[in-house]
């Protein structure tokens, strides 16, 4: 599969890498795109040797170009590992914690990952220390254990979902390594075009490929990326034995979506920045959470470790949960749905989920900014906010 562009990926800009890497070898009449290989098993010889495909749970040629592209984007020396979902990838990563070990995790990690960790901890597999990831000293104290056992793994998510708190990734990675803990960073919100956790010291990067990487809300897929060959081997073994593998069609769709990642991220980030500013000035909004705003508590850190500020922003609607729900109901262009990172703009009141931490405000709406025309997105938000604020229902508009 590896061809000229892949071999030179490190010299290419990320916006070229998403287009060029993971193409079939450049031979006469070869297809430009990798094919989808539908086979559960592979022809073998008398002995299975390392590198044999052998069986469809161990490998599939359709995974390879996507795994190659993800590694090139995150700057990893080992291929990425794709999984059936982001949470399947999280499950594999959590399996690296030794029995009876300690996991430090942000209180506003993606709630699915948090619930998984809480359930595993409740079974006694490890101890869970939940922290405010923006408070460096609190995280470092949880890592060292203050008299108790030191941590074995630090889970990072920055910005967090949905509170958009920003961790000082480089400092926390150094503190984790000082006590011998591994660091896993969920980079779903930022994508490797915006933030490179491996460069900042993380051992493993996690993606819900479902979101920006695939980008079209038509795939559920996850990935782990690491340069550490021992960890790579352990995670590959976990995937092969636990079986949370990607379907070939999903892998193919994700690579197809990845080709336009740079354009999508550029457009949606620019729109998110502008919308955050306009929302900040709207009196129907009590608070905007977006690290791109200079007034945001995470702004300075985000500016130092990200290239841009992402395309998810949160607002707290003046008037509480009912007003927030009314705004969602009044929107015509923004789709009320969970998830994020697709071409279409989505909106969700996060506390509608029973599992969402109580510390997430009831009136918080998470906005995933898509690639539609900025003025159309704003017009829809403005009419909904104005309508609810005036208590007269939405103006029919978009
Ligand atoms: N990480 C983050 C930040 C997410 O937002 C999500 C899903 O919303 C996940 C992980 C889980 O990914 P998946 O839904 O692909 O299992």
């Amino acid at each position: 599969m590896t061809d000229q562009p892949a071999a030179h990926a490190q010299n290419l800009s990320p916006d070229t890498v998403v287009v060029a890497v993971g193409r079939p070898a450049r031979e006469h009449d070869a297809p430009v795109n990798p094919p989808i290989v539908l086979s559960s098993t592979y022809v073998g010889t008398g002995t299975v040797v390392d590198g044999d495909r052998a069986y469809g749970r161990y490998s599939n040629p359709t995974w390879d170009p996507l795994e190659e592209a993800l590694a090139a984007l995150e700057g990893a020396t080992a291929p990425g590992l794709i999984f059936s979902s982001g949470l399947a990838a999280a499950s594999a990563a959590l399996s690296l914690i030794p029995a009876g070990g300690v996991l430090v995790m942000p209180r506003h990690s993606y709630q699915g990952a948090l619930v998984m960790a809480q359930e595993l901890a409740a079974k006694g597999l490890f101890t869970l220390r939940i922290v405010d990831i923006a408070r460096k000293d609190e995280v470092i104290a949880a890592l060292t254990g203050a008299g108790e056992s030191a941590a074995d793994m630090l889970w990072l998510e920055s910005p967090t979902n949905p509170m958009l708190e920003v961790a000082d990734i480089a400092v926390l990675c150094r503190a984790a390594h000082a006590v011998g803990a591994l660091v896993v960073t969920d980079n779903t919100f930022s994508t490797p075009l915006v933030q490179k956790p491996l460069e900042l010291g993380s051992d493993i990067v996690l993606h819900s490929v479902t979101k920006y990487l695939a980008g079209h809300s038509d795939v559920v897929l996850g990935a782990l990326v690491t340069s550490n060959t021992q960890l790579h081997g352990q995670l590959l073994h976990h995937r092969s034995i636990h079986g949370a593998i990607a379907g070939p069609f999903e892998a193919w769709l994700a690579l197809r979506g990845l080709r336009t990642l740079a354009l999508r991220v550029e457009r949606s980030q620019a729109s998110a920045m502008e919308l955050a500013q306009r929302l900040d000035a709207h009196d129907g909004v009590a608070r905007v959470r977006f690290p791109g705003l200079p007034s945001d508590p995470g702004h300075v850190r985000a500016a130092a470790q990200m290239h841009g500020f992402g395309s998810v922003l949160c607002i707290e609607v003046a008037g509480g949960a009912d007003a927030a729900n009314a705004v969602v109901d009044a929107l015509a262009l923004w789709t009320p749905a969970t998830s994020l990172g697709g071409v279409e703009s989505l909106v969700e009141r996060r506390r509608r989920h029973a599992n969402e931490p109580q510390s997430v405000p009831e009136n918080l709406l998470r906005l995933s900014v898509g690639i539609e025309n900025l003025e159309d997105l704003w017009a829809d938000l403005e009419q909904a906010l104005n309508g609810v604020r005036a208590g007269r229902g939405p103006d029919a508009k978009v």
Side-chain angles (χ1 to χ4, degrees):
M1 183 64 57
T2 302
D3 188 30
Q4 204 79 333
H8 295 286
Q10 281 164 345
N11 300 325
L12 298 173
S13 304
D15 46 351
T16 304
V17 170
V18 294
V19 176
V21 172
R23 299 277 180 187
R26 208 172 283 176
E27 290 159 3
H28 181 67
D29 274 348
V32 168
N33 291 305
I36 303 178
V37 177
L38 297 171
S39 188
S40 60
T41 191
Y42 305 94
V43 178
T45 55
T47 320
V48 177
V49 294
D50 260 6
D52 276 7
R53 292 211 178 269
Y55 184 55
R57 186 162 25 78
Y58 306 151
S59 78
N60 183 300
T62 322
W63 302 346
D64 300 350
L66 178 60
E67 295 187 330
E68 190 183 334
L70 294 178
L73 285 169
E74 290 289 2
T77 48
L81 289 164
I82 56 169
F83 290 81
S84 53
S85 68
L87 274 193
S91 170
L94 290 178
S95 77
L96 296 172
I97 304 170
V102 175
L103 168 66
V104 175
M105 199 169 198
R107 68 182 166 142
H108 295 129
S109 307
Y110 166 61
Q111 51 111 337
L114 196 58
V115 168
M116 186 191 301
Q118 283 165 333
E119 289 183 1
L120 295 173
K123 283 188 180 164
L125 295 185
F126 52 73
T127 299
L128 180 60
R129 294 186 189 139
I130 293 181
V131 292
D132 179 343
I133 208 66
R135 297 178 60 187
K136 209 171 6 187
D137 294 346
E138 182 182 326
V139 182
I140 293 173
L143 285 169
T144 55
E148 307 279 310
S149 304
D152 296 279
M153 181 179 283
L154 170 63
W155 194 271
L156 288 179
E157 195 179 307
S158 180
T160 56
N161 179 7
M163 297 290 267
L164 302 179
E165 296 136 329
V166 180
D168 188 332
I169 298 179
V171 164
L172 295 182
C173 286
R174 280 199 293 277
H177 291 155
V179 300
L182 286 175
V183 184
V184 178
T185 304
D186 185 332
N187 205 27
T188 300
F189 267 39
S190 297
T191 86
L193 299 185
V194 176
Q195 183 166 270
K196 290 263 185 63
L198 296 184
E199 283 178 6
L200 295 167
S202 184
D203 300 288
I204 298 171
V205 171
L206 181 147
H207 281 284
S208 169
V209 177
T210 314
K211 308 297 191 298
Y212 291 98
L213 300 183
H216 294 75
S217 305
D218 50 11
V219 172
V220 175
L221 210 64
L224 296 174
V225 185
T226 180
S227 286
N228 181 318
T229 48
Q230 194 192 336
L231 293 177
H232 183 273
Q234 286 173 261
L235 295 166
L236 173 60
H237 178 77
H238 187 280
R239 183 179 71 180
S240 301
I241 294 305
H242 290 251
I245 58 164
F249 186 52
E250 282 75 9
W252 184 89
L253 267 180
L255 183 65
R256 181 190 158 109
L258 190 74
R259 299 299 187 205
T260 55
L261 179 69
L263 291 174
R264 290 186 282 107
V265 164
E266 188 182 326
R267 168 76 165 229
S268 59
Q269 278 205 143
S271 295
M273 188 72 216
E274 180 63 29
L275 290 175
Q277 285 163 352
R278 294 187 192 182
L279 288 162
D280 203 31
H282 195 287
D283 56 12
V285 175
R287 176 173 177 181
V288 176
R289 292 175 185 263
F290 184 63
L293 292 178
S295 56
D296 190 271
H299 178 71
V300 173
R301 269 186 200 161
Q305 68 192 15
M306 296 168 74
H307 306 284
F309 300 99
S311 320
V312 175
L313 62 100
C314 292
I315 57 173
E316 290 170 32
V317 178
D322 289 346
N325 278 332
V327 168
V328 172
D329 289 345
L331 288 165
L333 177 60
W334 293 73
T335 303
T338 196
S339 199
L340 55 109
V343 291
E344 66 291 307
S345 294
L346 302 181
V347 58
E348 181 180 42
R349 191 177 73 83
R350 285 299 293 175
R351 284 291 298 280
R352 80 192 179 98
H353 297 282
N355 280 335
E356 195 71 2
Q358 305 273 310
S359 46
V360 173
E362 281 275 15
N363 60 342
L364 180 139
L365 296 183
R366 187 182 70 191
L367 307 178
S368 170
V369 180
I371 62 168
E372 303 92 335
N373 179 280
L374 168 68
E375 297 308 329
D376 289 340
L377 290 174
W378 173 243
D380 195 28
L381 281 172
E382 195 180 32
Q383 64 80 19
L385 286 164
N386 288 349
V388 169
R389 185 196 47 190
R392 59 179 158 77
D395 304 326
K397 204 169 178 188
V398 181

